[in-house]
Amino acid sequence: MGFEKFLFYCFAAMTVAAAGMVISRRNPVHAVLWMVVAFVSSAALWILLEAEFLGIVLVLVYVGAVMVLFLFVVMMLDIDIATLRAGFIRYLPVGALVAAVMLIEIVLVVGPAHFGLTAFPAPAPAGVAVNNTHDLGMLLYTVYVYPVELASVILLVAIVAAIRLTLRWRPDSKYIDPARQVRVKKGPDRLRIVKMASVGPAEMPAASLADTKE
Amino acid sequence: MIELWNALPLLIQILLKVIVIVLPLLGLVAYYTLAERKVIGYMQVRIGPNRVGWRGLLQPIADAVKLMMKEIVVPTQADKTLFVIAPLISIVPAIAAWAVFPFDATLVVADIHASLLYILALSSLGVYGIIIAGWASNSKYALLGAMRSAAQLVAYEIAMGFALVGVLVAAGSLNLGEIVRAQTGNVFTWFWLPLLPLFGVYVIAGVAETNRAPFDVAEGESEIVAGFHVEYSGMGFAVFFLAEYANMILISALTALLFMGGWLSPLPQSWVQGVFPLDDGFQWLLLKTFFIMFVFLWLRATFPRYRYDQIMRLGWKVFIPITIVWILVVAGGVVAKLPPWWSA
């Protein structure tokens, strides 16, 4: 138990520290990388809670795919950091107010009155025999099958909409369709054999000879 | 012996297991580079390295010593911290993935339920090393290489993930050991046969994921010098190299596990029970892994580099539809209890 607690505090400290770095770094690329660290250490916290499926999927989906694209975009941006930081003091009171309101709200909703150890005592460890991927799958595809299907359809609609909105045809593009390239036949498409009578210079009319000499 | 082992503290036990896996892996990486130069040499009617040691057998060691002795140059405009940790970020996932790898029916360091998912998650982290290296170098060639590599990895990871979904449906488990056990029988009950399109997609996507020829546009010597690692010298370069080869070995070994029956013998159990080299065991896994590793080299010696737009087309428009269709076919086969794979 002692080692587990030690691990928990290590990862918890790492998560909080990384989250602090995300909002305090000047360089946006560094901020994104600290966010990756925060994701990975919170995945480790989930695995400590025996939610190995959720932990691994957090790394796979958020770190492995979403943050890669995020990093990609941030790297391409040419951000002038000085202008971003210019209004820091001016906006500080508003920012502090929003932060305070958020903090009070969070404490009211998930504070010890609702989510304390008395309301939710720590569950007994399930042991290594419990396969939570299997259990989660069973729940998602039996009890919650309609919400899952609905969510997937909504996501599909979002994908199609995003693609349609950003799709533009470029008539000047020199793009070659490889499928058409592969289908090219030697006969009509690529090679045209032109029959010509074999005529030597001597037999040519004098006028055309004069043309070629010019 | 067993008592001595049990008396050791847990952390020391884990550390010893890690050493027992990582040291042979790094040795294999070193000799894979030699094998690559030899195999491609002979395929192109050359001899390959033959000066250091007997028939060039000490060449990898000479290379390693040379790289260690070289000066590490950090570009003036580079982001120094990220420049230094980028090679480490690329090699750690390549080695950490072996933690859940079953070497035979009983030999595995961490036998977790979702081991295939764990390997998929870790291999998706490898791209960070490349992107960070490309950005931190502050060089246009490196950044172009990193962009190409990231786009390619994201594209092929989807096809690869879907190919793995087919395996999961066929085996009914996320555990690598269970997946191998689901293929018990003989060479025809392994998953390569019912999952043949997925097998092909997985191997090709694996070549693309590891940025190997003919998908090596991230390095693209003729256009962008060496891509993401153009600014790296000495050990920084060597660590990128190690990570690439360790990833190739991992993909080969995974292919052997998922589609070629892992440690299972190709002959039926009733024929080979107890006959050492033919019985189920680590030697079969090694043989199958070496075969796929050889295929990687063979591809490199045979094919010219893909054009970038064709890489994207192959990943998105060819592989993903193939895998989606075949997942449905496999699911139908499992529901219909198609013999000999799903009759039990």
Side-chain angles (χ1 to χ4, degrees):
Chain A
M1 203 59 206
F3 185 59
E4 202 181 315
K5 225 171 216 172
F6 169 74
L7 280 182
F8 170 77
Y9 281 113
C10 281
F11 285 118
M14 219 158 96
T15 312
V16 173
M21 293 298 250
V22 173
I23 53 171
S24 61
R25 287 296 86 189
R26 295 181 184 193
N27 190 325
V29 172
H30 291 182
V32 172
L33 290 175
W34 279 111
M35 199 156 153
V36 169
V37 174
F39 275 137
V40 172
S41 44
S42 44
L45 287 179
W46 267 352
I47 290 172
L48 275 180
L49 285 172
E50 299 187 357
E52 86 252 5
F53 180 76
L54 289 178
I56 295 173
V57 166
L58 179 73
V59 172
L60 181 64
V61 174
Y62 280 89
V63 180
V66 175
M67 293 314 281
V68 171
L69 295 179
F70 217 83
L71 198 60
F72 212 75
V73 173
V74 168
M75 278 177 183
M76 296 300 119
L77 294 178
D78 188 19
I79 302 173
D80 186 5
I81 298 158
T83 56
L84 270 181
R85 294 171 56 81
F88 187 71
I89 297 296
R90 192 151 65 96
Y91 295 121
L92 189 60
V94 185
L97 188 72
V98 172
V101 170
M102 289 286 282
L103 185 67
I104 291 167
E105 277 179 359
I106 291 172
V107 170
L108 283 179
V109 175
V110 297
H114 302 290
F115 282 87
L117 278 179
T118 47
F120 287 93
V128 288
V130 175
N131 182 348
N132 73 44
T133 313
H134 181 260
D135 296 352
L136 208 64
M138 280 313 247
L139 264 184
L140 281 181
Y141 287 96
T142 52
V143 181
Y144 298 106
V145 65
Y146 288 120
V148 168
E149 291 300 323
L150 263 180
S152 63
V153 170
I154 291 172
L155 284 174
L156 183 67
V157 170
I159 294 172
V160 173
I163 292 173
R164 185 64 196 89
L165 284 176
T166 52
L167 182 71
R168 54 198 180 119
W169 297 107
R170 292 265 308 271
D172 56 328
S173 160
K174 295 247 172 35
Y175 178 73
I176 304 162
D177 183 5
R180 285 185 57 208
Q181 266 181 317
V182 169
R183 275 201 298 272
V184 164
K185 292 277 180 303
K186 194 178 100 184
D189 302 324
R190 185 186 288 162
L191 183 72
R192 193 160 57 94
I193 300 172
V194 183
K195 281 267 182 209
M196 291 184 81
S198 51
V199 186
E203 300 163 49
M204 277 188 179
S208 70
L209 263 181
D211 283 348
T212 52
K213 267 176 190 160
E214 272 172 15
Chain B
M1 210 46 204
I2 303 285
E3 283 119 45
L4 188 69
W5 173 254
N6 288 336
L8 288 170
L10 185 65
L11 276 178
I12 304 287
Q13 281 188 12
I14 295 174
L15 202 66
L16 283 176
K17 286 179 187 169
V18 170
I19 291 171
V20 166
I21 292 177
V22 169
L23 279 188
L25 179 67
L26 292 184
L28 189 58
V29 166
Y31 277 89
Y32 195 19
T33 61
L34 178 67
E36 170 165 42
R37 293 164 71 181
K38 278 284 186 189
V39 167
I40 295 181
Y42 280 115
M43 282 183 181
Q44 296 169 345
V45 204
R46 295 181 285 114
I47 294 174
N50 67 343
R51 290 293 130 189
V52 191
W54 185 71
R55 301 203 164 201
L57 270 181
L58 294 178
Q59 184 69 41
I61 293 155
D63 289 342
V65 171
K66 188 193 91 171
L67 284 167
M68 275 186 252
M69 296 298 172
K70 286 222 165 185
E71 183 190 357
I72 294 179
V73 182
V74 182
T76 333
Q77 293 293 312
D79 187 319
K80 297 212 172 40
T81 329
L82 289 184
F83 187 82
V84 173
I85 65 171
L88 302 180
I89 294 176
S90 71
I91 195 159
V92 166
I95 290 177
W98 292 91
V100 297
F101 195 88
F103 294 95
D104 69 17
T106 51
L107 200 65
V108 48
V109 175
D111 195 11
I112 63 173
H113 288 303
S115 49
L116 186 58
L117 210 57
Y118 168 85
I119 287 187
L120 201 61
L122 275 184
S123 60
S124 72
L125 294 185
V127 66
Y128 278 97
I130 294 174
I131 300 186
I132 292 172
W135 183 78
S137 305
N138 207 351
S139 145
K140 54 186 138 190
Y141 298 123
L143 189 63
L144 280 173
M147 280 171 61
R148 288 181 174 193
S149 167
Q152 182 176 316
L153 274 155
V154 170
Y156 280 84
E157 213 162 76
I158 299 171
M160 201 173 199
F162 274 136
L164 294 183
V165 169
V167 175
L168 302 186
V169 171
S173 174
L174 272 170
N175 181 289
L176 288 169
E178 291 296 317
I179 291 172
V180 172
R181 267 169 228 124
Q183 307 178 44
T184 312
N186 56 48
V187 64
F188 297 109
T189 63
W190 298 348
F191 285 154
W192 66 270
L193 192 55
L195 305 181
L196 196 59
L198 299 183
F199 178 43
V201 167
Y202 185 80
V203 172
I204 298 170
V207 177
E209 286 267 297
T210 46
N211 284 324
R212 295 286 302 176
F215 295 93
D216 58 345
V217 288
E219 290 175 29
E221 294 88 352
S222 49
E223 312 122 52
I224 51 172
V225 196
F228 64 92
H229 60 59
V230 65
E231 302 290 346
Y232 281 86
S233 59
M235 273 321 272
F237 171 75
V239 171
F240 273 123
F241 223 75
L242 280 179
E244 180 177 324
Y245 283 78
N247 271 324
M248 283 159 68
I249 296 172
L250 180 68
I251 296 275
S252 310
L254 274 179
T255 313
L257 274 190
L258 300 174
F259 296 97
M260 297 161 76
W263 61 80
L264 299 175
S265 166
L267 303 169
Q269 240 334 276
S270 51
W271 299 3
V272 295
Q273 186 87 47
V275 189
F276 163 64
L278 297 176
D279 202 1
D280 296 351
F282 181 57
Q283 72 276 12
W284 284 113
L285 179 64
L286 210 60
L287 196 69
K288 293 164 186 172
T289 308
F290 283 170
F291 172 69
I292 302 288
M293 281 162 67
F294 176 75
V295 169
F296 268 78
L297 306 183
W298 193 0
L299 285 176
R300 178 169 170 195
T302 312
F303 290 114
R305 187 175 293 141
Y306 250 114
R307 215 172 60 202
Y308 186 74
D309 62 318
Q310 293 186 343
I311 288 183
M312 286 296 131
R313 176 182 166 273
L314 185 71
W316 291 102
K317 289 183 168 177
V318 179
F319 280 178
I320 294 178
I322 289 179
T323 49
I324 291 176
V325 168
W326 208 258
I327 287 171
L328 292 179
V329 173
V330 171
V334 172
V335 171
K337 296 198 187 305
L338 192 71
W341 306 290
W342 300 296
S343 50

